[in-house]
Amino acid sequence: MDPVDKKVLLQNHEYLADNLDLDMKYLTHLQAKGILLDHQLDEISSITTRKDKIERFLAILMLRGPKAFSEFCAAYKEDCSWIVEQLDQTKQMILAENQGGNEFS
């Protein structure tokens, strides 16, 4: 995963823990796109507490390659646009900070 995308997820960790819905339709979308493997989907599904399930999902997502973040956002965009908007805002802030820092280097 791109370092900026990873930073977006880390900075929004608490927000995602409070707001993310790990309904199977989102997880199977990510599985169909090759972001989640069968055993990872089974592992997430077997966890009983919502918080632990989200923690494990985010940990896996951050390790799943360059398309993981964009596919995650695509999966949630229609039904949970507020989550994707929050992540987009954070990403824009991070990119602006990075660009501002580079101007003085």
Side-chain angles (χ1 to χ4, degrees):
M1 178 175 286
D2 180 84
V4 171
D5 294 337
K6 193 173 197 176
K7 190 171 183 179
V8 169
L9 292 176
L10 291 170
Q11 285 188 5
N12 285 283
H13 187 270
E14 189 174 322
Y15 178 82
L16 291 170
D18 291 341
N19 294 285
L20 196 62
D21 176 10
L22 284 183
D23 188 276
M24 282 305 289
K25 78 176 185 175
Y26 305 118
L27 297 177
T28 55
H29 169 89
L30 293 170
Q31 181 185 32
K33 296 294 184 174
I35 303 304
L36 292 178
L37 302 176
D38 291 344
H39 75 277
Q40 292 168 326
L41 182 62
D42 292 342
E43 179 184 349
I44 293 165
S45 298
S46 71
I47 298 171
T48 55
T49 67
R50 181 181 175 283
K51 183 181 180 206
D52 290 343
K53 193 175 282 210
I54 290 170
E55 294 279 343
R56 187 62 190 134
F57 169 74
L58 292 173
I60 291 170
L61 185 66
M62 286 190 248
L63 300 173
R64 293 302 301 152
K67 294 181 181 179
F69 183 79
S70 61
E71 288 297 340
F72 167 70
C73 290
Y76 282 87
K77 190 166 186 84
E78 186 175 327
D79 295 335
C80 302
S81 60
W82 64 92
I83 291 174
V84 177
E85 289 169 11
Q86 171 70 23
L87 298 176
D88 285 342
Q89 288 175 1
T90 303
K91 187 170 186 172
Q92 293 309 313
M93 287 181 6
I94 291 169
L95 292 173
E97 288 171 3
N98 288 348
Q99 188 173 7
N102 291 337
E103 290 177 2
F104 300 107
S105 298

